[in-house]
Amino acid sequence: MSNRPSSSASTHRPRPSSSTARSPLEQLAYSLVPSLAPPRSHRANVDARSGRSSVASSRPDSRAEVDDEVEKERKEKVRELMEWCEEIMESRLPSSAPLSASTLPDTAKRILLQSIPRAASSQNTRGESSSSGSERAIEFGGIWNKLEKGRLLSSPLPHLQFLLSLSDFNPNNVPTKTPTSNFRISQASSSSSTRSMPPPPVPSTFSSSRSPLVDTGSNNIQSLDFDVKGKSKAEILISWRTSKSQKPFPPHLLLRDTLYLLQGIDGRYVRFALRPPKEQNPYLTEKGRAGEGVGFPLGKDGSIPQGEDEGEEGEIVGIEIVADQNKDGYVSKPTQTILMQLSEMGMLYKQVTDLINTRQAGEGKGGMTEQSLCHFLHHELSEYHRLLAVLESQMNQTSLTDADQPAEGAGLTLMRLGLWTEEMKLKLKQMNLVVAEAKKVHGGALVSKIHKHTNHGDPLIRRFTDQILEEVSKPFFATLQRWIFSGDLHDPFNEFFVQLNPETVSLRDGRISPAGDVGFEVGIDSAGRTDEAHRVWEKKYVFVKSMVPGFVSEDFGKKIFSTGRSLNFIRYSCGDSDWIETQAKLANAGRALKYSDLAGLERSIDDAYSIASQRLLEIFFDKFVLLDHLRALKLYLMLGAGDFTELLMEALAPRLSKPAISLYRHHLTSDLESAIRGSNAQFDDPDILRRLDARILEYSHGETGWDCFALEYKIEAPLNAVLDGKAMLDYDRLFNHLWRLKRVESALTSGWMRVTSGSRTYEKIPGLSNDWHHCRIVQAEMVHFLRNLQAFYQLEVIECSWQAFIDFTEKREGDLDALIAAHREYLGRVVRKVLLLSSRRDKEEILLDAVRDALDIILQFRDATDDLYAWSLAEATRLDRERDAERGLYTLPTTDSPTLSSNQLSSIRQRIKNCSNSFQDRLISICHLAGSHTDLDVRFLAIRIAWNGHYSLRKNRNPTTSSNAGDRDRGSTRPNRG
């Protein structure tokens, strides 16, 4: 096999001096092996049909005989090589795919086992030794393992495939003649050899490049009488096929049909193949597998690949050739492949134009982004039409020239058509991808999908995608520019990632607000109530994450969202539209936002965000004096103004002690004004003082004024964006708790004055000295508890939290969201610590309930001491009457008896003892719960209340909380009565 002529030899053809035309195969043989060409010095006239030559020479006869022998040998080699070429051209290669790596070695072993008898017989005739099939298979296995493991060859599979196709053991590769080393074939073997058609190729078997051919003889070669001078190998092959009654299809007809296909129109001989119903799919039949219809999604075996089996009926899936190839001409497989590749552009063209026609008809989602996309596609298709016009002119130029002898480089061919349309084909593919995305998403989501293709490795696709984005993103940037510079949302098709909340209702017609932003006029809702600015700020617009383009990060998108909201809030809620218009004019005077300048986009948005946020904070702090209102809430609702609180408590105490049903609001308002005029509150801003008001909460039967009184601070827009309903509810909770604590403090203070000063007069009453001493001790414990609790609330919680909030506001950083978050953090910390709330749900208000119980016990104790004081006064009066009677002075008669007085004293003593024991039990529980609290400050409060370990000692000695245990414990802390 090594002596076959190489196909890689020089392609320079010898130019014989004779004018006689050679056959195409002889010319092909000379081009493959130039050494076989006749010498130029002989001037040989070669007859290709007869194979005879006449040599004109003036050399001696002996030298002429030698030359005749050489010439005869050369002609024999040429004839043999021509037979090989004819055999190769008429051979049929199997269409099966090459064997895989797992089956190819097994197939080789099986062939060795099956073909060993024939091989052995041939070896025996030559006198060689033969071996069994199993031994040869074992040898092959060892060689194959060395090739795979030793990595002697980078890819041994193709070599094994080639050896199998050329092996004598191949049952389908039966040679009819064996060429010698010098390409000499005897005339007898040549005449007696018979060639039969090869059997049909069987899949999963080897392929042979030397299939048996039909005997053609030398007459077929002599019948090819045409001039091949100056023709290429492809032209020679075409001429040879024409001589075999396989004339090629006229190329100008294929070119014309191809231009029709490029426009999405069926040609006369080639047309688009449409997807039939699943039960009538011709591409799954034997005809489809034979390749008569070439489809884009079809595999080599004629089956539809995974993911391509579903589609709409009538969809383009390929092309089919409807010409009669036996009559009109033969269309080769390479030509069919080129037609299929070119027709793909027509399919892409139809899909792109379908989207444009659909959107122009008003179907689909619509939107400004899709309109921009259709405009860009229409422009690109105009360029495509211009290219088709140029190609058609080239085709007409081809038809005017001589078809047999076209000018070099002139005219249009299918290959040139493919090369000239390659760039446009890539663009059409990219446009088709964008069209497919446009059918699924719209607006910012479509821009984001297109942006993903900008990371393509092909520079042409990357630049073209940038051009698409530059055009498609224009509506997005127009909406963005209006949003971040004017605060207006002009988005009629909901394509921007900032959208109006569908829950918001317009005032004018009671329907959902239109896409065109008109603002919340004067902050009034549909029911006619003053709408909270918090609702305007928080719920008017929503951030749609799925509509954010890919070149805008989520954090950057939220910054854009905050910028527009700030400007919109300034315009419609703060009434500062003049400043917005001025800023919009300044911003629009600069360069417009566009996709090609993303760095400038970031700078513009950062500047707009900073300016809008600072302006909004200035409006809140300077124009609407937000800090003054927050300070007023701290002074009045958190009872930070001591003088005002004392006067208000003193003025309201007589009224609030009465039943709640007897209260009137104008009385409470009058007392409030008296407290303001009598304290330093009178020097505050009148706008702040007019917001203070007293109100009565809902009450039930039996409640007093202390249970339903509340101090109110009115907040209007736009301040209620920060001080929203939830925040004011927390302020009310704080006031309720601190007001109760203040009431207990006031009651305990008045009781302390009576116990410490008034009781001195009645200590001389027999049996009362220990009672008043006991009251003073218990009262001191209560005062200690209240003082530590108030100091913790006012100094460690409220003042520290307020100072942290003031430090934040002085920086003036962030936007309104940051200010709202800082205020919520400040208020949440105060509520959590003042109300002693726990982070555990099951123990959230246990400590607060214990403190409230202790406050109620203090009030009960104060009532008991008041009763003791009244009894002491009555007893002192009775004793004075008795002494007057002894001196002979008689006063008004009295019905008091010593027995009744003794019973009353016993009842009062029992009440005081119960209050004392209950209070200490509550303090033990408070210290225990506060000591195990999650908040470190609350744990420190427990240390301050029980700093000497008194309550912990009581808890260790008396685990029970019964009255007897309390009685024994009380006996250890007070002297025995006489």
Side-chain angles (χ1 to χ4, degrees):
M1 301 301 295
S2 63
N3 293 327
R4 291 187 179 183
S6 173
S7 61
S8 62
S10 175
T11 58
H12 296 286
R13 296 193 297 264
R15 299 183 181 270
S17 58
S18 175
S19 59
T20 305
R22 296 189 180 94
S23 65
L25 289 181
E26 185 178 359
Q27 187 70 25
L28 180 62
Y30 290 157
S31 64
L32 293 175
V33 186
S35 60
L36 296 180
R40 297 183 180 180
S41 61
H42 287 182
R43 297 183 179 180
N45 296 325
V46 181
D47 189 357
R49 294 184 178 181
S50 61
R52 291 172 301 188
S53 64
S54 60
V55 181
S57 176
S58 59
R59 291 175 294 182
D61 295 338
S62 60
R63 184 67 177 271
E65 291 177 359
V66 175
D67 292 341
D68 290 341
E69 291 293 333
V70 174
E71 182 68 16
K72 184 178 181 180
E73 183 179 357
R74 183 188 67 79
K75 291 181 179 179
E76 186 68 21
K77 292 181 181 180
V78 170
R79 186 184 61 80
E80 182 180 356
L81 185 58
M82 290 170 59
E83 290 182 359
W84 277 85
C85 294
E86 182 179 1
E87 181 181 354
I88 290 174
M89 287 188 291
E90 292 185 354
S91 64
R92 295 183 180 179
L93 296 178
S95 61
S96 60
L99 296 176
S100 62
S102 59
T103 58
L104 186 58
D106 297 336
T107 304
K109 293 179 182 178
R110 186 167 59 251
I111 291 175
L112 289 173
L113 291 173
Q114 294 175 356
S115 59
I116 194 61
R118 179 172 58 84
S121 61
S122 62
Q123 290 175 355
N124 292 332
T125 57
R126 295 195 299 265
E128 299 177 0
S129 60
S130 62
S131 59
S132 63
S134 60
E135 293 179 356
R136 287 179 174 269
I138 292 174
E139 291 178 3
F140 171 77
I143 296 173
W144 182 253
N145 291 333
K146 291 180 180 179
L147 289 176
E148 285 187 329
K149 295 181 180 179
R151 301 185 181 275
L152 301 177
L153 296 176
S154 60
S155 179
L157 293 176
H159 298 80
L160 181 58
Q161 184 76 27
F162 177 71
L163 292 176
L164 281 176
S165 64
L166 301 179
S167 175
D168 292 336
F169 298 115
N170 189 340
N172 290 336
N173 193 17
V174 182
T176 58
K177 56 182 179 293
T178 304
T180 59
S181 60
N182 56 358
F183 294 97
R184 292 184 178 180
I185 303 177
S186 63
Q187 184 70 24
S189 62
S190 174
S191 60
S192 61
S193 61
T194 60
R195 294 179 178 139
S196 59
M197 294 299 293
V202 181
S204 74
T205 60
F206 51 85
S207 60
S208 176
S209 61
R210 294 191 60 204
S211 301
L213 304 173
V214 179
D215 190 8
T216 58
S218 62
N219 295 328
N220 292 335
I221 302 177
Q222 297 174 359
S223 62
L224 301 178
D225 189 10
F226 50 85
D227 188 12
V228 297
K229 183 178 180 179
K231 291 186 177 180
S232 63
K233 298 177 183 178
E235 293 171 345
I236 296 174
L237 183 59
I238 292 175
S239 301
W240 179 83
R241 281 180 174 171
T242 304
S243 66
K244 294 294 185 179
S245 299
Q246 293 182 355
K247 63 177 181 178
F249 197 89
H252 65 279
L253 297 180
L254 291 180
L255 277 175
R256 181 173 300 171
D257 281 5
T258 303
L259 289 180
Y260 286 142
L261 292 177
L262 292 181
Q263 302 175 59
I265 306 173
D266 291 335
R268 180 178 179 182
Y269 304 102
V270 184
R271 66 184 181 184
F272 287 107
L274 305 180
R275 183 184 296 275
K278 294 183 179 180
E279 62 274 6
Q280 300 178 5
N281 192 344
Y283 295 100
L284 298 180
T285 62
E286 294 297 332
K287 180 180 178 181
R289 292 190 179 92
E292 296 187 13
V294 182
F296 301 126
L298 296 183
K300 294 181 180 180
D301 56 350
S303 61
I304 298 180
Q306 183 179 3
E308 300 287 346
D309 55 346
E310 296 182 359
E312 299 181 358
E313 183 178 347
E315 179 185 358
I316 297 177
V317 294
I319 61 172
E320 55 183 349
I321 300 174
V322 296
D324 188 359
Q325 300 189 29
N326 295 327
K327 178 181 178 181
D328 299 331
Y330 175 74
V331 181
S332 62
K333 292 293 183 181
T335 304
Q336 294 182 15
T337 304
I338 295 176
L339 289 175
M340 183 268 293
Q341 295 174 354
L342 292 174
S343 63
E344 185 180 3
M345 298 179 62
M347 181 193 69
L348 298 174
Y349 172 80
K350 290 192 66 175
Q351 293 179 355
V352 174
T353 53
D354 287 344
L355 174 71
I356 298 177
N357 297 333
T358 301
R359 296 303 182 260
Q360 289 179 351
E363 301 177 2
K365 297 180 180 179
M368 301 177 67
T369 305
E370 289 187 355
Q371 293 177 13
S372 298
L373 176 61
C374 292
H375 177 267
F376 178 81
L377 295 178
H378 184 75
H379 178 268
E380 289 298 323
L381 291 182
S382 299
E383 297 293 331
Y384 181 66
H385 295 156
R386 188 176 294 107
L387 175 62
L388 292 180
V390 174
L391 294 176
E392 188 174 359
S393 65
Q394 292 291 330
M395 186 188 68
N396 296 333
Q397 183 180 357
T398 304
S399 62
L400 295 176
T401 58
D402 188 4
D404 296 333
Q405 295 180 358
E408 184 68 22
L412 182 66
T413 62
L414 290 178
M415 290 295 294
R416 289 174 181 170
L417 183 62
L419 292 175
W420 292 350
T421 58
E422 183 66 25
E423 182 176 347
M424 182 56 68
K425 184 178 181 180
L426 294 176
K427 291 185 178 181
L428 283 175
K429 285 185 178 181
Q430 192 66 18
M431 286 189 285
N432 186 51
L433 290 177
V434 176
V435 166
E437 298 292 351
K439 294 178 180 179
K440 302 176 184 178
V441 295
H442 74 292
L446 176 60
V447 176
S448 181
K449 291 288 186 180
I450 300 176
H451 177 71
K452 292 182 179 179
H453 296 288
T454 56
N455 297 325
H456 202 281
D458 191 344
L460 174 65
I461 299 298
R462 189 164 58 249
R463 288 193 300 268
F464 184 68
T465 307
D466 290 339
Q467 295 176 6
I468 297 177
L469 268 179
E470 186 71 25
E471 185 69 26
V472 172
S473 61
K474 284 182 179 179
F476 170 81
F477 282 104
T479 305
L480 175 63
Q481 186 164 0
R482 189 168 179 178
W483 171 252
I484 64 173
F485 293 144
S486 301
D488 288 338
L489 180 62
H490 181 70
D491 186 23
F493 300 100
N494 291 333
E495 298 176 292
F496 199 54
F497 61 87
V498 180
Q499 298 178 8
L500 280 174
N501 192 349
E503 298 179 359
T504 58
V505 180
S506 177
L507 170 66
R508 290 178 289 186
D509 51 6
R511 296 177 300 176
I512 295 178
S513 301
D517 185 16
V518 296
F520 277 42
E521 295 86 351
V522 200
I524 302 179
D525 60 7
S526 58
R529 302 185 302 268
T530 301
D531 190 18
E532 292 186 359
H534 170 74
R535 180 171 176 267
V536 178
W537 175 260
E538 292 286 343
K539 300 182 180 180
K540 182 178 180 180
Y541 299 103
V542 292
F543 182 82
V544 184
K545 184 178 178 181
S546 60
M547 302 297 288
V548 179
F551 54 83
V552 177
S553 62
E554 184 178 354
D555 295 336
F556 203 68
K558 290 183 178 179
K559 184 179 291 188
I560 297 173
F561 178 61
S562 178
T563 303
R565 278 198 309 166
S566 300
L567 295 175
N568 187 273
F569 195 82
I570 294 173
R571 178 190 293 271
Y572 295 110
S573 297
C574 301
D576 197 1
S577 58
D578 295 338
W579 183 84
I580 299 297
E581 295 176 358
T582 304
Q583 290 297 320
K585 291 179 181 179
L586 294 176
N588 293 328
R591 52 187 177 183
L593 303 180
K594 53 185 178 180
Y595 173 76
S596 58
D597 188 16
L598 293 181
L601 171 66
E602 294 184 3
R603 291 193 300 270
S604 300
I605 291 177
D606 287 335
D607 295 340
Y609 171 76
S610 177
I611 294 173
S613 300
Q614 290 299 321
R615 178 61 180 176
L616 185 56
L617 293 180
E618 289 176 2
I619 290 176
F620 267 89
F621 288 126
D622 300 337
K623 181 178 178 180
F624 295 102
V625 290
L626 175 63
L627 284 181
D628 292 345
H629 294 286
L630 294 176
R631 189 176 290 105
L633 288 170
K634 172 177 169 290
L635 292 177
Y636 301 124
L637 266 65
M638 293 185 185
L639 306 183
D643 55 344
F644 167 79
T645 306
E646 292 291 341
L647 292 176
L648 183 63
M649 181 70 64
E650 183 180 351
L652 291 177
R655 300 185 188 275
L656 298 181
S657 299
K658 298 178 182 179
I661 195 172
S662 62
L663 295 179
Y664 295 97
R665 186 173 181 179
H666 60 277
H667 292 162
L668 301 179
T669 305
S670 177
D671 294 337
L672 176 61
E673 292 178 356
S674 300
I676 291 175
R677 289 193 301 266
S679 63
N680 289 329
Q682 60 181 326
F683 302 108
D684 285 345
D685 190 353
D687 180 65
I688 293 177
L689 296 178
R690 71 174 180 85
R691 297 175 183 272
L692 281 175
D693 192 12
R695 61 191 177 100
I696 303 174
L697 303 177
E698 295 182 1
Y699 56 88
S700 58
H701 181 70
E703 290 185 349
T704 62
W706 294 107
D707 300 323
C708 61
F709 172 76
L711 195 62
E712 183 181 14
Y713 192 86
K714 297 179 181 179
I715 292 295
E716 301 172 353
L719 292 175
N720 50 17
V722 180
L723 299 171
D724 57 345
K726 184 178 181 301
M728 298 309 298
L729 183 60
D730 289 339
Y731 278 111
D732 291 340
R733 292 177 63 190
L734 289 173
F735 174 79
N736 185 23
H737 181 68
L738 296 175
W739 182 255
R740 177 182 294 186
L741 184 63
K742 198 66 178 178
R743 174 203 173 187
V744 173
E745 180 196 7
S746 178
L748 190 59
T749 301
S750 61
W752 173 265
M753 295 174 62
R754 182 169 294 179
V755 169
T756 55
S757 61
S759 63
R760 302 292 181 181
T761 307
Y762 307 110
E763 286 184 351
K764 296 181 180 180
I765 298 177
L768 285 184
S769 59
N770 291 334
D771 293 315
W772 287 111
H773 178 69
H774 179 214
C775 290
R776 285 191 291 269
I777 292 176
V778 175
Q779 203 170 40
E781 293 182 7
M782 294 179 178
V783 170
H784 171 74
F785 170 71
L786 288 179
R787 290 291 181 263
N788 283 280
L789 200 60
Q790 286 182 329
F792 171 74
Y793 288 161
Q794 295 295 335
L795 300 178
E796 298 184 19
V797 176
I798 298 177
E799 290 297 333
C800 294
S801 302
W802 173 258
Q803 186 60 41
F805 177 72
I806 291 298
D807 293 340
F808 171 80
T809 57
E810 289 178 351
K811 298 177 183 178
R812 300 286 180 96
E813 295 179 353
D815 54 0
L816 186 58
D817 280 330
L819 178 61
I820 294 174
H823 176 260
R824 286 178 179 174
E825 182 181 0
Y826 152 72
L827 185 58
R829 183 175 185 270
V830 173
V831 171
R832 186 174 62 254
K833 292 180 180 293
V834 168
L835 300 182
L836 305 175
L837 302 179
S838 175
S839 59
R840 303 175 184 174
R841 293 185 177 180
D842 54 341
K843 298 182 180 181
E844 182 177 0
E845 295 186 358
I846 294 179
L847 184 55
L848 177 62
D849 293 337
V851 172
R852 288 174 177 174
D853 291 341
L855 297 179
D856 293 337
I857 292 174
I858 292 175
L859 293 177
Q860 295 175 9
F861 177 78
R862 193 254 185 183
D863 292 338
T865 55
D866 288 346
D867 292 342
L868 180 60
Y869 184 83
W871 183 89
S872 300
L873 179 60
E875 182 66 17
T877 304
R878 189 182 65 80
L879 292 177
D880 288 341
R881 289 175 183 171
E882 290 180 356
R883 285 193 292 269
D884 290 342
E886 291 178 358
R887 293 195 301 267
L889 298 175
Y890 297 94
T891 57
L892 294 176
T894 178
T895 58
D896 296 339
S897 62
T899 303
L900 180 60
S901 178
S902 177
N903 292 336
Q904 291 178 352
L905 179 60
S906 298
S907 175
I908 293 173
R909 284 176 175 172
Q910 186 64 32
R911 288 168 56 193
I912 292 175
K913 183 176 64 175
N914 291 337
C915 290
S916 174
N917 294 335
S918 298
F919 179 75
Q920 291 201 3
D921 292 338
R922 291 296 182 275
L923 280 188
I924 292 174
S925 299
I926 290 172
C927 293
H928 174 68
L929 293 173
S932 60
H933 201 273
T934 56
D935 196 309
L936 183 61
D937 294 336
V938 178
R939 279 186 275 175
F940 185 69
L941 174 64
I943 296 175
R944 293 178 56 178
I945 294 176
W947 60 274
N948 57 355
H950 171 70
Y951 299 105
S952 60
L953 291 175
R954 284 179 55 84
K955 180 182 178 181
N956 294 333
R957 288 184 301 172
N958 302 292
T960 61
T961 58
S962 62
S963 60
N964 294 331
D967 200 3
R968 291 193 301 270
D969 206 17
R970 174 57 60 196
S972 62
T973 58
R974 62 184 179 183
N976 295 328
R977 297 179 182 177

